[in-house]
Amino acid sequence: MDDFGVYAIFGVDEPPQQILRREGWQSSIEIQPSVQLVVLFTRGDWGKRDSVSVELADERNIPINMGKLTPFNKCLSWESGEDGVWSSGATLTVNLIGGATEFLDPGLTLSWMECTPECIPAVPALRECPGKRKRSQGEEEEEEEEEVNEGRGKENICPNASEKVTPQRRSKNNHRGGQTRLFSQKEEQTATSSSQSHKAKGKLAKTPSQTAPLDKPSGRWGQTVCPIDPQTAILIGGQGARMQFCKDPIWKLCTEDLSWVPAETLAEGPTPEARIGHTATYDPESKRIFVFGGSKHKKWFNDVHILDTQTWRWTLVEAQGKVPPLAYHSCSMFRGELFVFGGVFPRPHPEPDGCSDSIYIFNPEMAIWYQPIVNGEKPAPRSGHSACVMQGRIFVFGGWDTPVCFNDMFMLDLGLMEFSAVKTSGTAPSPRSWHGCAVLSDCSFLIHGGYNGNNALSDAFVFNTDTSCWSSLAFPQLNSVPRAGHSIITMPTTCKQGCTDEQEELPESVPQTLLVFGGGDNEGSFFSDLFTMPVEELRD
C-alpha cells in the first residue's frame, strides 16, 4: 500500500497534519500572521514521484521563498519573527511533480489575521531543516535591502548594479579619473524607488523574474559552469536582478540535448552557501569539483566545498594553513593542486577594499593551504581577471584594481614558479574584467566580452601562445550581445543518440564545442540563454 504523504506543522505546539491526500486536485494554504513556524516533510514510499515543489508567497502573491522536497531532502522549514516575512499573511503552495498530483485538504485552510506591530524588527533567518545545509534566506533578503539602500564600497556588485564596483584605491601604474558606475541611471532609480516603497515592510519585495522556470536556470551573472564529463556540466551560484542571489543555485546541464536539470537536492551533504565571484574547478583524476571563495554582499568566503561527482556528496573541507577570504580571483588545477591568484579582499582588511597579487596553493590530499616562493615580474594586484593552464604555464589576462582596468598578459611557469610579462602582437583586447575565457587548443585560448568600467563588451579575441599574437574574431553569435560575468566552457561534441560506453572516453582529437551561458549587459538585463559554437570555426 502506498502511504506516501506530505505533512505540515504550523507552530511548535501543533501536531503534524497531512496536506496531500487524494488524487486529482491541488490547492494552496493560507497562513495567518500568528504562525511563527512552518515545517513540511514527507512520509512513505516516493514511488515514481520526482519531487514536491514548495512556494511561500506573501499577500501580494510575490514569492518569499522556494524549495523542494525530494527523496534525498525530505524536510523544509521556515521561521518568522513578530513582524516576519508573512506579517500580513502568506500562501503556501505545494505541487507534486512526477506521479499523481494529490489533493490539498481545504479544511486545513487557515484564516488571515491583521497584525499591526509597534515596530519593525529585522527579518530572522529562513532556513531549511537538518539534513541539508541551512540556508539563511532571511539574512540574504535583509542584506539585499541594505545593499540597495547603501551599496557603498562593495566589490561584489555586478555589471548591472546601482553603485560602484569598488571604492577608490590608488594604483601603482596609470590612473584613470572618476569613479565608475555599473548600472544605467534608469535601473538605479528603479532599484532605489523599489527599496523605498517596501521599506515599511521590513524586507525587499521579490520581483516575478526571480521565480525560476523549472526547465532552465534563471538569468544571472557571477556563476560558474564546470564540465565534469563529455556529456555533463554543473552550474553553481550566481546573482540576478536587484542584486538578489538566485534561488535556483545549482543545475546540471546535459550537453547531448542542451537540457537543464535542477541539481541542488541531487547531492547529499552541506551545499555551498549562495555566492558570486567564486571558482569551481574540476579534477578529472579524482572526479571532484572544488568550490572556493566568493562573496555574498557583506559576507566573504575562504571555504572549500568539494562535490564528489561519483557519489554525489558535498563535503566542507577543514583545511590547515591560511588563505584570506577572496572573490573574483582565478583558480587553476595543476597536478592535483589548486593555484589561486589575485582576487579582492573584503572590508575592512585592508581598508578600503584592495586586490591581491599573491598565489595560494591548496593541496587536497593534505587538506592544507600554503604560499609558494614566486620569482620574476609579478602582475599588479587585480580581480575579475582570467587564468588558464596551458603546457605547464598559467596565462593571466586583464582584470582590474579600482580605478585601473588592465589588458596586460602575464605567464607563470609552474616548473620554475616564475612570473614574466608576455609581449604580445596583433590586435589586443581593450582593458576589461569579468570577461569569459576558454582554452581552444594546446596553443590558443579565447577572450570574450567583459566589463571595461563603463560598458559591457561583446568583442572576442584568440591568443596564440606559440606566436604571442592576438587575433580578433567576428561571429554574430559572439558579437551580437554585450555581456559580462558570463561563463564560457569547451566540451567534446557529443552525439545525440546511439553513443556507446566506449565512446564516453573521447580522444583529444574529437571535435569540441564552445558553450556560453548567462551574464549581464550593464543595462539591467541578466541572461539565462545558452548558445553553442563549433570550436573549429573559432580556430580557423
Side-chain angles (χ1 to χ4, degrees), residues 383-400:
S383 64
H385 55 283
S386 62
C388 55
V389 180
M390 304 181 66
Q391 299 176 342
R393 299 169 293 174
I394 297 179
F395 288 86
V396 176
F397 169 77
W400 78 344

Side-chain angles (χ1 to χ4, degrees), residues 17-21 25 27-29 103-109:
Q17 305 178 54
Q18 187 175 11
I19 60 174
L20 281 180
R21 288 186 176 174
W25 189 254
S27 184
S28 300
I29 296 177
F103 179 72
L104 283 171
D105 188 355
L108 296 177
T109 299

Side-chain angles (χ1 to χ4, degrees), residues 29-33 56-59 64 85-92 110 112:
I29 296 177
E30 295 174 357
I31 301 177
Q32 61 186 13
L56 190 66
D58 64 15
E59 74 280 3
I64 297 173
V85 292
W86 55 79
S87 59
S88 300
T91 303
L92 180 68
L110 306 179
W112 287 12

